[in-house]
Amino acid sequence: MICPGCKKKIGFLESLTIVNPLNFKCKICSNYITLSRSSVKSYLLMLLVIFIISFLGFFQLETKRFLTKSFLLFLVPTILISVTIIHYFFWNNASAELKNPDKDGASGISC
């Protein structure tokens, strides 16, 4: 992703430190950045497809099989790796927009 303000590339490893990708601050130009609506929609669509595929895969397993410790030791790393891969490809193709400053002069962070 490239910052629309200063044109700095925000890499994948830096994206892992961003808590809220819908509202974050560029470390170079200090502008608030948000993801474009199309980027958010595509990211949610990718996660939904992966969730549906995983959910349908559970129907193919026997109940005794996926309640074992060895299955959980296989499942947790598989989910973490797949989410990381999805995030990597998403982040490299996502587009960003400068966030409009609030009229009240607030920082954009809400409680």
Side-chain angles (χ1 to χ4, degrees):
M1 178 183 298
I2 296 175
C3 174
C6 64
K7 306 298 183 209
K8 177 197 177 272
K9 181 173 175 32
I10 303 170
F12 171 70
L13 294 177
E14 188 177 346
S15 75
L16 295 177
T17 63
I18 296 172
V19 176
N20 182 4
L22 298 177
N23 183 24
F24 63 97
K25 196 173 187 179
C26 178
K27 293 180 180 177
I28 301 297
C29 64
S30 298
N31 286 326
Y32 281 95
I33 303 170
T34 186
L35 295 176
S36 66
R37 286 183 181 240
S38 62
S39 294
V40 172
K41 287 179 184 177
S42 65
Y43 188 62
L44 291 176
L45 181 65
M46 285 189 293
L47 289 177
L48 181 66
V49 167
I50 293 297
F51 176 75
I52 290 172
I53 290 171
S54 301
F55 188 72
L56 292 175
F58 280 122
F59 283 127
Q60 304 300 321
L61 297 173
E62 299 172 12
T63 308
K64 296 176 187 175
R65 196 167 198 190
F66 67 86
L67 294 177
T68 62
K69 190 187 299 185
S70 62
F71 180 74
L72 289 177
L73 289 175
F74 170 75
L75 180 68
V76 172
T78 304
I79 290 173
L80 290 176
I81 289 170
S82 60
V83 168
T84 303
I85 290 171
I86 289 171
H87 181 71
Y88 175 77
F89 286 113
F90 164 75
W91 193 260
N92 288 332
N93 297 320
S95 59
E97 301 171 348
L98 287 177
K99 186 170 176 137
N100 294 333
D102 294 334
K103 294 178 183 177
D104 300 337
S107 65
I109 299 172
S110 61
C111 297

